[in-house]
Amino acid sequence: MAEIALSGAITVVSKVVPFLYKICSGRDRRNIEEVRKWLNTMIAYLKDTEGREDTAGLKDRVQQVQDIAHETQDAIEEFMNDHHVLVSIKRRVEALLDRVLRGDQPRDVVISVVGDPGSGKSTVIHEVFEMVKNSFECSAWVSIPSSCEDLLEKLFQELELPFDPGKYKKRSLQFHLQQKRYILVFDGIWSEDQWNCINELLPCNKKQGSKIIISTRYRNLASYCTSSHDYIYDLNLNPLTWEEAWELFCTKVFQGDKCPDHLVDWCEKIVIRCEKSPHAIVAVANFLSNKPRIGTEFKNVLDSLECEPGHPVSLSRYKIFSHSYYHLPPNLKSCFLHFCNFPEFHPVKCGTLIHQLIGCGFIEEKEVKTLDQVAYENLVELVQMSMVHVTRRDSEGRIRSC
């Protein structure tokens, strides 16, 4: 039985290697080759001991070999499923990786990744982080909490440092990082104050080659956090191509198989309805992967995407936008909710919208500025937060309709 298990694992490895040569680093390929060599050695060992399994110790070793072979096969197959999805975002990963690997800076580098809700910011960053973190002396991934104190505690946890509630926590963190080349990810920055809090926690004389990656929905905040526009990666300017969106959808729904001919039309309409949003595509594809592969099932899902609040894609988007809405100041919440008065996909002229917002009393007076100017600034903020989509701009870049 152990020899059969090993043979199965070797077969999986043999199938994986050609795929890895296309998508993975040399280190990954070498590691897989080492696994294959090790499995072959184990088969030779089993053949040498064949017929001599009468001792308890030998039986135990044979059982261990069999268990490891099964675990190896499971791990490799899981690795393949994960990296099928990576193929769909490979172009975006490579673009961010290029910024991370640049070594021409005399000090640490801050890289800002900006994108709409559901654009795949965290997914792309996570893939790059996992690829490079072992080449740094220390690494940490932190989702931004509500306070600086919580942020400090999270950093201590991720860096596996003992957290002393005393007053020297900040100094201890800075001393630890100052001695090392590190990569830190701060996922989901909402304000300049949050970035200032992060910046105060980091050492002043940072070791050359350290990298800090932040994700945000706001282009102006992305510029605020980094010293060079070369280190801003805007996913809104690099959306999934149709081929990438289609591949991502089919990979998740059909586990790498080709989309059946009788479902192509429905699947294409679903991908179009998801507007090439990675978050939406993955949500609906995961739902469909457990459904029978018949046209009526896929048609029902497409129909439900139009209006059904409880559908996984609708729920997924609701969670994203509810999180965004929660962080809006009161005046912007009122402005955003005013869009409920307009039908979906119906462009609204900027001038008309501004007059309505003022008429409803949603615009607060500010010194030196007219109500029209304040209303337009509020609209710009909603656009920068990816809450409102611009449909037309004038020659100077000002919003004409949304």
Side-chain angles (χ1 to χ4, degrees), residues 222-245:
S223 300
Y224 181 81
C225 295
T226 188
S227 58
S228 170
H229 285 283
D230 291 339
Y231 287 98
I232 297 176
Y233 185 43
D234 192 340
L235 293 182
N236 295 331
L237 303 178
N238 296 273
L240 291 182
T241 64
W242 168 259
E243 291 76 15
E244 290 168 337

Short mmCIF file of all heavy atoms in Angstrom, two decimals, residues 222-245:
data_model
loop_
_atom_site.label_atom_id
_atom_site.label_comp_id
_atom_site.label_asym_id
_atom_site.label_seq_id
_atom_site.Cartn_x
_atom_site.Cartn_y
_atom_site.Cartn_z
N ALA A 222 -3.10 57.26 -1.50
CA ALA A 222 -1.97 56.48 -2.02
C ALA A 222 -0.79 57.39 -2.31
O ALA A 222 0.37 57.05 -2.02
CB ALA A 222 -2.40 55.74 -3.30
N SER A 223 -1.06 58.58 -2.87
CA SER A 223 0.01 59.55 -3.15
C SER A 223 0.60 60.10 -1.86
O SER A 223 1.81 60.34 -1.77
CB SER A 223 -0.54 60.70 -4.00
OG SER A 223 -1.05 60.23 -5.22
N TYR A 224 -0.24 60.30 -0.86
CA TYR A 224 0.22 60.84 0.42
C TYR A 224 1.21 59.91 1.11
O TYR A 224 2.16 60.35 1.77
CB TYR A 224 -1.00 61.07 1.32
CG TYR A 224 -0.68 61.65 2.68
CD1 TYR A 224 -0.46 63.01 2.84
CD2 TYR A 224 -0.63 60.83 3.81
CE1 TYR A 224 -0.18 63.54 4.09
CE2 TYR A 224 -0.36 61.35 5.06
CZ TYR A 224 -0.13 62.71 5.20
OH TYR A 224 0.15 63.23 6.43
N CYS A 225 0.99 58.60 0.97
CA CYS A 225 1.79 57.62 1.71
C CYS A 225 3.16 57.34 1.07
O CYS A 225 4.07 56.89 1.76
CB CYS A 225 1.03 56.30 1.83
SG CYS A 225 -0.47 56.39 2.82
N THR A 226 3.30 57.55 -0.23
CA THR A 226 4.55 57.21 -0.89
C THR A 226 5.21 58.45 -1.46
O THR A 226 4.54 59.46 -1.74
CB THR A 226 4.32 56.18 -2.02
OG1 THR A 226 5.57 55.73 -2.52
CG2 THR A 226 3.49 56.76 -3.15
N SER A 227 6.51 58.40 -1.60
CA SER A 227 7.27 59.58 -2.03
C SER A 227 7.37 59.70 -3.54
O SER A 227 7.80 60.72 -4.05
CB SER A 227 8.69 59.53 -1.43
OG SER A 227 9.34 58.33 -1.85
N SER A 228 6.98 58.65 -4.29
CA SER A 228 7.14 58.67 -5.74
C SER A 228 5.94 58.01 -6.41
O SER A 228 5.45 56.97 -5.97
CB SER A 228 8.42 57.93 -6.14
OG SER A 228 8.47 57.73 -7.54
N HIS A 229 5.47 58.63 -7.50
CA HIS A 229 4.35 58.05 -8.24
C HIS A 229 4.74 56.72 -8.89
O HIS A 229 3.88 55.93 -9.27
CB HIS A 229 3.86 59.03 -9.30
CG HIS A 229 3.05 60.16 -8.72
ND1 HIS A 229 1.75 60.01 -8.32
CD2 HIS A 229 3.37 61.45 -8.46
CE1 HIS A 229 1.29 61.16 -7.84
NE2 HIS A 229 2.25 62.04 -7.91
N ASP A 230 6.05 56.48 -9.03
CA ASP A 230 6.51 55.21 -9.59
C ASP A 230 6.13 54.03 -8.68
O ASP A 230 6.11 52.89 -9.13
CB ASP A 230 8.03 55.23 -9.78
CG ASP A 230 8.45 56.18 -10.89
OD1 ASP A 230 7.60 56.49 -11.74
OD2 ASP A 230 9.62 56.61 -10.90
N TYR A 231 5.87 54.34 -7.40
CA TYR A 231 5.55 53.28 -6.45
C TYR A 231 4.06 53.25 -6.08
O TYR A 231 3.68 52.73 -5.04
CB TYR A 231 6.42 53.43 -5.19
CG TYR A 231 7.85 53.04 -5.45
CD1 TYR A 231 8.82 54.00 -5.72
CD2 TYR A 231 8.23 51.70 -5.47
CE1 TYR A 231 10.13 53.64 -5.98
CE2 TYR A 231 9.54 51.33 -5.73
CZ TYR A 231 10.48 52.30 -5.99
OH TYR A 231 11.77 51.93 -6.25
N ILE A 232 3.23 53.80 -6.96
CA ILE A 232 1.79 53.66 -6.84
C ILE A 232 1.33 52.67 -7.89
O ILE A 232 1.61 52.84 -9.08
CB ILE A 232 1.07 55.01 -7.04
CG1 ILE A 232 1.47 56.00 -5.94
CG2 ILE A 232 -0.45 54.80 -7.03
CD1 ILE A 232 0.87 57.38 -6.13
N TYR A 233 0.63 51.62 -7.47
CA TYR A 233 0.08 50.66 -8.42
C TYR A 233 -1.43 50.75 -8.34
O TYR A 233 -2.05 50.35 -7.36
CB TYR A 233 0.56 49.24 -8.12
CG TYR A 233 0.11 48.24 -9.15
CD1 TYR A 233 0.17 48.53 -10.51
CD2 TYR A 233 -0.41 47.00 -8.79
CE1 TYR A 233 -0.25 47.63 -11.46
CE2 TYR A 233 -0.83 46.08 -9.73
CZ TYR A 233 -0.74 46.41 -11.07
OH TYR A 233 -1.17 45.53 -12.03
N ASP A 234 -2.03 51.30 -9.39
CA ASP A 234 -3.47 51.56 -9.42
C ASP A 234 -4.16 50.44 -10.19
O ASP A 234 -4.07 50.36 -11.41
CB ASP A 234 -3.73 52.92 -10.09
CG ASP A 234 -5.17 53.38 -9.91
OD1 ASP A 234 -6.03 52.52 -9.62
OD2 ASP A 234 -5.43 54.59 -10.06
N LEU A 235 -4.87 49.57 -9.46
CA LEU A 235 -5.57 48.46 -10.11
C LEU A 235 -6.73 48.94 -10.97
O LEU A 235 -7.17 48.22 -11.87
CB LEU A 235 -6.07 47.47 -9.06
CG LEU A 235 -5.00 46.70 -8.28
CD1 LEU A 235 -5.66 45.73 -7.31
CD2 LEU A 235 -4.07 45.96 -9.20
N ASN A 236 -7.24 50.15 -10.69
CA ASN A 236 -8.31 50.68 -11.52
C ASN A 236 -7.82 50.95 -12.95
O ASN A 236 -8.61 50.94 -13.90
CB ASN A 236 -8.85 51.98 -10.93
CG ASN A 236 -9.52 51.76 -9.58
OD1 ASN A 236 -10.04 50.69 -9.32
ND2 ASN A 236 -9.48 52.76 -8.73
N LEU A 237 -6.52 51.20 -13.08
CA LEU A 237 -5.93 51.42 -14.41
C LEU A 237 -5.45 50.11 -15.03
O LEU A 237 -5.01 50.10 -16.18
CB LEU A 237 -4.75 52.40 -14.31
CG LEU A 237 -5.07 53.77 -13.72
CD1 LEU A 237 -3.81 54.62 -13.64
CD2 LEU A 237 -6.15 54.48 -14.52
N ASN A 238 -5.52 49.03 -14.25
CA ASN A 238 -5.08 47.72 -14.72
C ASN A 238 -6.13 46.66 -14.41
O ASN A 238 -5.87 45.69 -13.69
CB ASN A 238 -3.75 47.33 -14.06
CG ASN A 238 -2.62 48.26 -14.45
OD1 ASN A 238 -1.96 48.06 -15.46
ND2 ASN A 238 -2.38 49.28 -13.64
N PRO A 239 -7.36 46.82 -14.92
CA PRO A 239 -8.41 45.85 -14.62
C PRO A 239 -8.13 44.52 -15.30
O PRO A 239 -7.28 44.41 -16.19
CB PRO A 239 -9.66 46.50 -15.22
CG PRO A 239 -9.14 47.35 -16.32
CD PRO A 239 -7.81 47.86 -15.86
N LEU A 240 -8.83 43.48 -14.85
CA LEU A 240 -8.72 42.19 -15.51
C LEU A 240 -9.14 42.32 -16.97
O LEU A 240 -10.10 43.00 -17.30
CB LEU A 240 -9.63 41.15 -14.84
CG LEU A 240 -9.28 40.67 -13.43
CD1 LEU A 240 -10.28 39.61 -12.99
CD2 LEU A 240 -7.88 40.12 -13.36
N THR A 241 -8.39 41.68 -17.86
CA THR A 241 -8.83 41.59 -19.25
C THR A 241 -9.98 40.60 -19.32
O THR A 241 -10.25 39.86 -18.37
CB THR A 241 -7.68 41.11 -20.15
OG1 THR A 241 -7.32 39.76 -19.77
CG2 THR A 241 -6.46 42.01 -20.03
N TRP A 242 -10.68 40.59 -20.48
CA TRP A 242 -11.76 39.61 -20.63
C TRP A 242 -11.22 38.20 -20.49
O TRP A 242 -11.83 37.34 -19.82
CB TRP A 242 -12.44 39.77 -21.99
CG TRP A 242 -13.35 38.61 -22.28
CD1 TRP A 242 -13.11 37.54 -23.08
CD2 TRP A 242 -14.64 38.37 -21.69
NE1 TRP A 242 -14.17 36.66 -23.05
CE2 TRP A 242 -15.12 37.13 -22.20
CE3 TRP A 242 -15.43 39.08 -20.78
CZ2 TRP A 242 -16.36 36.61 -21.84
CZ3 TRP A 242 -16.67 38.54 -20.42
CH2 TRP A 242 -17.11 37.33 -20.94
N GLU A 243 -10.05 37.92 -21.08
CA GLU A 243 -9.47 36.57 -21.01
C GLU A 243 -9.16 36.19 -19.58
O GLU A 243 -9.39 35.04 -19.16
CB GLU A 243 -8.20 36.50 -21.88
CG GLU A 243 -8.43 36.58 -23.37
CD GLU A 243 -8.75 38.00 -23.85
OE1 GLU A 243 -8.51 38.96 -23.06
OE2 GLU A 243 -9.24 38.15 -24.97
N GLU A 244 -8.61 37.13 -18.78
CA GLU A 244 -8.28 36.84 -17.39
C GLU A 244 -9.54 36.61 -16.56
O GLU A 244 -9.59 35.70 -15.72
CB GLU A 244 -7.46 37.99 -16.81
CG GLU A 244 -6.06 38.09 -17.38
CD GLU A 244 -5.35 39.37 -17.02
OE1 GLU A 244 -6.04 40.38 -16.72
OE2 GLU A 244 -4.11 39.40 -17.05
N ALA A 245 -10.56 37.44 -16.77
CA ALA A 245 -11.82 37.27 -16.04
C ALA A 245 -12.47 35.93 -16.38
O ALA A 245 -12.97 35.21 -15.50
CB ALA A 245 -12.77 38.42 -16.37
#
